Amino acid sequence: MPAMSGFEDADTEETLTCFQVTVYHPNQEQNQVFQMLRFFNRERLSSMEVIKFGRSPNLCHYTFRDKQVSRVQFSLQPFKQFNSPVLSFEIKNLSKKTSLLVGNMELGYLNKMDLPGRCIVRFGEYQFLMEKEDGESLEYFETRFVLASRSLLEERHYGKPVPENGFSSSTLPTEMDENEY
């Protein structure tokens, strides 16, 4: 019987769910509100963690350099839906002073909802395009941040229009004008 090479008998590594967040703020160039985010790097996180976003580096995993942002603005929490083999995420507004718009759904303080696979989240002048790419692992997931140079609400951004309601389903075909590419 031939000997197995190292890669043949090694455990198969599970793919991780990747949660990509494209960020936009109109004054990013002048104020560097996203300077604390590491763009284009994937960060591996435990699915047992609640990920907080806000102004306070002592309370939040991801911070924004802006006094208009609450110390803790919102959180993302991974979870597993019944009868689903992949991670899902819920978003919760933790700001007492600012509502969070998820698509066109307004979340007040402590309101939460499940995030669809692709949607726009907004508060103040901040815009986040949140996109989830499913993986196999339930133990870990990855985050990846991308800096947008223009508003995420522009129809042709990233070649995939986000409807006015802010939600998009990757399972639905989108019609493209033949002149777009």
Side-chain angles (χ1 to χ4, degrees), residues 53-57 59-60 62-63 69-73 97:
F53 295 73
R55 186 181 75 232
S56 173
L59 301 172
C60 298
Y62 297 115
T63 57
V69 174
S70 295
R71 283 179 297 162
V72 181
Q73 191 73 42
K97 63 182 181 178

Side-chain angles (χ1 to χ4, degrees), residues 38-49:
R38 291 180 29 210
F39 291 104
F40 303 108
N41 293 321
R42 289 180 180 243
E43 182 178 1
R44 182 177 166 153
L45 300 168
S46 168
S47 59
M48 294 177 28
E49 287 186 58

Side-chain angles (χ1 to χ4, degrees), residues 22-35 37 39 64-69 73 121-129 146-153 157:
T22 303
V23 299
Y24 174 77
H25 189 280
N27 299 322
Q28 162 56 20
E29 281 195 30
Q30 297 85 10
N31 300 340
Q32 299 295 306
V33 295
F34 299 122
Q35 80 174 18
L37 299 179
F39 291 104
F64 310 122
R65 209 185 100 204
D66 184 348
K67 291 180 181 167
Q68 299 300 311
V69 174
Q73 191 73 42
V121 174
R122 297 177 287 160
F123 66 89
E125 293 186 286
Y126 287 82
Q127 300 172 14
F128 306 88
L129 175 60
V146 177
L147 181 62
S149 60
R150 63 179 193 249
S151 172
L152 299 171
L153 302 176
H157 191 74

Side-chain angles (χ1 to χ4, degrees), residues 106-123:
E106 185 174 339
L107 300 181
Y109 177 59
L110 296 182
N111 290 147
K112 67 180 183 177
M113 68 178 282
D114 294 355
L115 276 177
R118 182 172 190 258
C119 70
I120 290 189
V121 174
R122 297 177 287 160
F123 66 89

Side-chain angles (χ1 to χ4, degrees), residues 92-100 107-111:
K92 181 191 260 185
N93 185 10
L94 297 172
S95 173
K96 293 179 181 177
K97 63 182 181 178
T98 307
S99 291
L100 192 66
L107 300 181
Y109 177 59
L110 296 182
N111 290 147

Side-chain angles (χ1 to χ4, degrees), residues 136-172:
E136 300 160 335
S137 176
L138 296 176
E139 303 299 317
Y140 297 97
F141 68 97
E142 294 176 321
T143 58
R144 180 175 181 260
F145 287 89
V146 177
L147 181 62
S149 60
R150 63 179 193 249
S151 172
L152 299 171
L153 302 176
E154 289 181 20
E155 188 175 345
R156 297 187 199 291
H157 191 74
Y158 291 102
K160 296 180 186 174
V162 176
E164 284 185 20
N165 69 4
F167 296 106
S168 176
S169 171
S170 58
T171 59
L172 297 175

